[in-house]
Amino acid sequence: MIEIFTTGGTIDKVYFDALSEFQIGPAAIPDLLRENNVHVPHRVTQLMRKDSLELDDADRAAIRAAVEASDASRILVTHGTDTMVLTGRVLAGIAGKTIVMTGAMQPASVRASDAEFNVGFALAAAQILPPGVYIAMNGMIFDPATTEKDRAGARFVAQDRG
């Protein structure tokens, strides 16, 4: 069983009308999984509906508490990309759990979104990686401790520690 926690972020953004900007809508992941015929045992829990730039220390503590309290050893967290690395660092040190974080650079509701690929990739990663915290984006697995978001490149990159 994979426990999926949703927190909001771009992956869940939708237009509510033609005059509005994107806003966080309902969690996109249940529809993504159903539409893509995913049968891996899972449950989805929506923790919050926030842009990751609006997440604060209390929100990150709530995410960590939910992951710690889960009876699942394999966890997927959908999260906004702007502060995903920061939350990943907060999740470090939870023993016995494989925690994979993912999100999207474009909302799941738009045709050119990377959401479907990232979610599928993250689900696979959650099933095969050893315990630890990971970011699964852009077809790559990253360690939050040594990763940053490259805003200009719209991707994640490992930091040069040399």
Side-chain angles (χ1 to χ4, degrees):
M1 161 80 71
I2 297 176
E3 175 109 35
I4 302 170
F5 292 112
T6 67
T7 64
T10 297
I11 196 169
D12 291 336
K13 287 187 177 179
V14 294
Y15 276 119
F16 285 100
D17 61 56
L19 300 176
S20 70
E21 295 183 13
F22 279 113
Q23 297 176 14
I24 305 290
I29 203 160
D31 290 339
L32 282 176
L33 298 178
R34 186 182 67 257
E35 291 165 4
N36 286 283
N37 203 24
V38 173
H39 293 283
V40 64
H42 67 277
R43 71 176 166 245
V44 178
T45 302
Q46 186 174 56
L47 295 179
M48 54 200 66
R49 289 169 63 169
K50 290 187 169 186
D51 185 289
S52 71
L53 292 173
E54 297 173 358
L55 294 177
D56 59 23
D57 290 344
D59 295 321
R60 287 184 179 77
I63 294 167
R64 182 178 174 102
V67 169
E68 287 176 321
S70 174
D71 61 353
S73 63
R74 302 198 175 268
I75 309 285
L76 174 62
V77 178
T78 63
H79 195 288
T81 59
D82 285 318
T83 64
M84 185 183 296
V85 168
L86 180 57
T87 301
R89 291 173 184 166
V90 168
L91 295 173
I94 298 176
K97 296 189 187 237
T98 301
I99 305 159
V100 179
M101 302 183 70
T102 197
M105 299 294 180
Q106 294 292 323
S109 61
V110 302
R111 186 179 178 282
S113 177
D114 55 338
E116 282 185 38
F117 179 84
N118 288 341
V119 167
F121 182 65
L123 273 174
Q127 293 176 71
I128 63 172
L129 289 171
V133 182
Y134 307 91
I135 291 175
M137 292 286 296
N138 316 116
M140 298 178 72
I141 302 294
F142 298 96
D143 176 348
T146 58
T147 302
E148 62 187 21
K149 181 180 176 182
D150 173 3
R151 286 172 135 315
R155 63 191 191 116
F156 283 77
V157 295
Q159 297 172 346
D160 182 6
R161 297 273 183 181

